[in-house]
Each structure stands twice: as C-alpha cells, then as structure tokens.
C-alpha cells in the first residue's frame, strides 16, 4: 500500500512539473513584440541625414575636386572665359629668342580650322620670375595674336611668386647634377593645370618646344573617339620624352595636387606616369600619328 501511494505521489509531482513547463513555454512563445525600431528612415529623415552629410563632407569636395586657390596674374586677355572643348595649356619658359618661344602658339592657330578655333582656349603660362622678360613676352603676344585675344581664345597668366613652395636643389638621378629647373617645371605645370580646371571638357598640356601638326585638333578628336571605347586617364600626343598630354577636365584638379605633393621627388614625366598608374592606366597610350611634334 505504501508503494502504491508513493507511486501516485511521484506521478502527480511529475504531472505538475509538466504543466508548469507547458505554461512557461506557452508564455515565452507568445511574448509581445519588443520596442525595437527596425523601420527604414522616412524620406524626410533620409533627406535631412544626406543634407547633414553633405555639409560635413563639403570640405572633401573642395579639397579634392575643386581648383586650388592659387593667386593668378592676368597679363593678356580677359578673366571672363567661356568654356570650350579643349583648354590648351602651354608653359613658356625664358629663352634668348622670344619669337621662338611663341612658335608653338603660331602653329596652333595657323593649323586650326575655323571650327577648331571655336573649340579651343589657349592658356599661356609664363614661367619665370624675371619681370622684364614677362612683360616683354606679354607685349609680343599682344602684338602677334591680337585677333585671338579679342575673340576670347587666348589668355596669358602667371602665378604669384608667393604661391611657390621652396625650389630646393634635388637630384632626381645620379646623372642630373642640377635639377632645380625640373623642380620648378613640376610646380609650373601644377599651377597651369590647376588654372585649366573647369575651363573645358578636355585639357592639353604642352611644352613650348612643340609644334602643331596639320589638322591637329581633328586628329586629337579622332584619337579621343577611339579611346572612349575603353577607360583611360591620359593620352600622349607627341613623341616619348616630350611633354604633350591630354586629360579629362575632371582629373585636372587632382593632378595639380599630385604634382605639388611630389614636386621635389620625381621629374615631370615620371610624376605624370605615376599619376595615371594610381588610376586605371598602367602605361602611356601614345597617339599615332602624333598631334604635336
């Protein structure tokens, strides 16, 4: 009898435990939703968030994509420039013969058709601190190219001397005893490219020893049409070893910053090559036939 009683007691306890467990599980299964906000932001919240993000990151856009605030001196032409298809930036350095320095400008205008002339804006950057030479070359430009100046397709500029970083002596390689001209060349082209930013769809930079081939801008457009089938950063428009490059306008502000950042580390051709390597282009794409010689 005692054994039967114990059996019933144990069974009742077991049943009670089962009932308790059942109700606990039932309560857990039907717990109410917790107060957790898993909804997406409303449109107005997204707009407000994006506006705040723009305000906070606007300095990045200015620091990367907008032209540097370099003080420029307008020597010839108007500061009110109309955007063109091509901005042609030419660095003119001091030579014994001013006429020879202007030969590249003559060749550009002489070899351009009336249609081409409406597509180009030529920017001459005078790269020397000798004020007497600067004024004399500026007067020569006014004399020879008055028609193009009046038409708004030619401007001559110079960056303020105070904008230049220290032009210290740097040896880029063992065979180069004095690389000061190369260091200044890097800064000159950086300021020239910076000025050309946002003036055109494409920017061409040239050294003053080059000459324009016949129908050169039609050749350049043909090369662009071929290049646009793929991705590219720059097109070399002349023979290897000479400075004659074509860029998209939207790369120019960053290129100017790149040149100023490493102006005393490499020569200009090396810097231009390194810049395009940081993008998608690992080697020079050379235009054949060249547009400048």
């Amino acid at each position: 009898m005692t054994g039967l009683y114990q059996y019933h007691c144990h069974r009742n306890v077991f049943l009670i435990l089962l009932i308790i467990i059942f109700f606990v599980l039932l309560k857990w299964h039907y717990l109410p939703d917790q107060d957790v906000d898993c909804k997406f932001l409303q449109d107005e919240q997204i707009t407000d968030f994006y506006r705040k993000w723009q305000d906070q990151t606007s300095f990045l856009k200015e620091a990367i994509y907008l032209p540097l605030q370099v003080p420029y001196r307008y020597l010839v032409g108007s500061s009110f420039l109309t955007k063109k298809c091509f901005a042609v930036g030419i660095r003119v350095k001091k030579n014994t013969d001013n006429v020879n320095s202007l030969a590249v400008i003559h060749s550009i205008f002489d070899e351009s058709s009336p249609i081409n002339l409406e597509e180009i804006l030529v920017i001459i950057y005078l790269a020397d601190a000798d004020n007497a030479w600067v004024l004399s070359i500026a007067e020569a430009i006014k004399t020879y190219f008055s028609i193009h100046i009046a038409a708004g397709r030619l401007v001559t500029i110079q960056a303020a001397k105070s904008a230049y970083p220290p032009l210290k002596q740097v040896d880029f390689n063992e065979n180069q005893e004095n690389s000061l001209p190369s260091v200044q060349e890097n800064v000159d082209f950086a300021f020239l490219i910076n000025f050309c930013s946002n003036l055109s769809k494409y920017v061409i930079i040239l050294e003053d020893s080059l000459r324009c081939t016949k129908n050169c801008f039609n050749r350049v457009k043909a090369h662009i049409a071929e290049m646009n089938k793929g991705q590219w950063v720059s097109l070399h428009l002349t023979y290897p070893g000479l400075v004659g490059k074509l860029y998209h306008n939207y790369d120019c502000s960053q290129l100017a910053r790149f040149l100023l950042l490493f102006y005393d580390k490499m020569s200009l051709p090396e810097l231009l090559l390194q810049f395009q390597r940081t993008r998608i282009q690992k080697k020079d794409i050379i235009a054949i036939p060249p547009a400048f010689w």
Side-chain angles (χ1 to χ4, degrees), residues 200-232:
S200 60
K201 186 173 183 180
Y202 300 101
V203 173
I204 298 172
I205 58 171
L206 303 171
E207 61 179 78
D208 60 0
S209 63
L210 293 174
R211 303 293 179 267
C212 197
T213 61
K214 191 173 183 61
N215 296 320
C216 68
F217 289 101
N218 290 336
R219 290 189 183 189
V220 172
K221 287 189 284 186
H223 289 309
I224 291 174
E226 183 65 26
M227 295 269 287
N228 282 344
K229 295 177 182 178
Q231 292 182 307
W232 59 280

Side-chain angles (χ1 to χ4, degrees), residues 93-260:
K93 59 183 181 297
K94 186 176 181 179
N95 291 318
T96 56
D97 185 359
N98 286 351
V99 175
N100 187 56
S101 298
L102 303 181
V104 60
I105 312 172
H106 280 290
S107 70
I108 287 175
F109 290 130
D110 291 345
E111 299 297 341
S112 296
S113 67
I115 293 177
N116 294 149
L117 290 176
E118 296 303 314
E119 297 173 327
I120 64 174
L121 172 62
V122 180
I123 300 100
I124 309 300
Y125 185 91
L126 299 185
D128 201 278
D130 184 347
N131 195 54
W133 174 81
V134 167
L135 294 177
S136 67
I137 201 80
E139 286 301 317
I141 291 172
K142 290 179 183 178
T143 301
Y144 288 112
F145 306 106
S146 58
I147 294 176
H148 300 296
I149 295 168
R153 64 177 69 103
L154 175 63
V155 63
T156 303
I157 62 167
Q158 185 184 40
K161 187 177 180 181
S162 59
Y164 277 78
L167 299 178
K168 55 187 177 182
Q169 301 282 354
V170 179
D171 290 331
F172 291 137
N173 56 61
E174 295 178 356
N175 298 324
Q176 198 167 1
E177 295 181 0
N178 184 355
S179 61
L180 181 59
S182 297
V183 173
Q184 179 170 346
E185 181 183 44
N186 293 342
V187 181
D188 291 340
F189 270 103
F191 289 159
L192 173 59
I193 293 167
N194 182 69
F195 183 88
C196 292
S197 300
N198 299 326
L199 290 180
S200 60
K201 186 173 183 180
Y202 300 101
V203 173
I204 298 172
I205 58 171
L206 303 171
E207 61 179 78
D208 60 0
S209 63
L210 293 174
R211 303 293 179 267
C212 197
T213 61
K214 191 173 183 61
N215 296 320
C216 68
F217 289 101
N218 290 336
R219 290 189 183 189
V220 172
K221 287 189 284 186
H223 289 309
I224 291 174
E226 183 65 26
M227 295 269 287
N228 282 344
K229 295 177 182 178
Q231 292 182 307
W232 59 280
V233 178
S234 68
L235 174 64
H236 200 75
L237 298 174
T238 186
Y239 300 106
L242 300 175
V243 180
K245 291 270 195 178
L246 170 76
Y247 292 92
H248 296 281
N249 168 70
Y250 53 71
D251 282 329
C252 287
S253 292
Q254 296 174 66
L255 174 56
R257 285 171 166 78
F258 186 85
L259 294 181
L260 288 175

Side-chain angles (χ1 to χ4, degrees), residues 14 69 78 120 180 201 257 280 290 292:
F14 179 75
Q69 298 301 308
S78 171
I120 64 174
L180 181 59
K201 186 173 183 180
R257 285 171 166 78
I280 54 172
F292 300 89

Side-chain angles (χ1 to χ4, degrees), residues 16-152:
I16 292 171
L17 289 174
L18 285 177
I19 292 171
I20 293 172
I21 292 171
F22 173 80
F23 279 105
V24 170
L25 292 175
L26 187 67
K27 183 179 180 181
W28 174 82
H29 184 73
Y30 288 101
L31 280 174
D33 291 337
Q34 300 300 305
D35 187 19
V36 177
D37 186 11
C38 295
K39 297 179 181 179
F40 290 106
L41 293 173
Q42 299 296 323
D43 289 344
E44 60 269 17
Q45 290 176 299
I46 294 174
T47 303
D48 183 60
F49 173 81
Y50 183 66
R51 187 182 300 112
K52 290 180 180 178
W53 179 84
Q54 279 190 320
D55 293 341
Q56 292 171 0
T57 59
S58 60
F59 74 95
L60 291 176
K61 180 180 179 182
E62 182 176 354
I64 298 174
Y65 297 106
L66 297 181
L68 293 164
Q69 298 301 308
V70 177
Y72 293 101
R73 175 187 178 192
Y74 285 82
L75 300 165
V76 176
S78 171
S79 60
F80 298 98
L81 303 174
T82 304
K83 288 190 176 182
K84 303 284 186 175
C85 182
F86 296 104
V88 185
I90 306 169
R91 173 187 179 258
V92 176
K93 59 183 181 297
K94 186 176 181 179
N95 291 318
T96 56
D97 185 359
N98 286 351
V99 175
N100 187 56
S101 298
L102 303 181
V104 60
I105 312 172
H106 280 290
S107 70
I108 287 175
F109 290 130
D110 291 345
E111 299 297 341
S112 296
S113 67
I115 293 177
N116 294 149
L117 290 176
E118 296 303 314
E119 297 173 327
I120 64 174
L121 172 62
V122 180
I123 300 100
I124 309 300
Y125 185 91
L126 299 185
D128 201 278
D130 184 347
N131 195 54
W133 174 81
V134 167
L135 294 177
S136 67
I137 201 80
E139 286 301 317
I141 291 172
K142 290 179 183 178
T143 301
Y144 288 112
F145 306 106
S146 58
I147 294 176
H148 300 296
I149 295 168

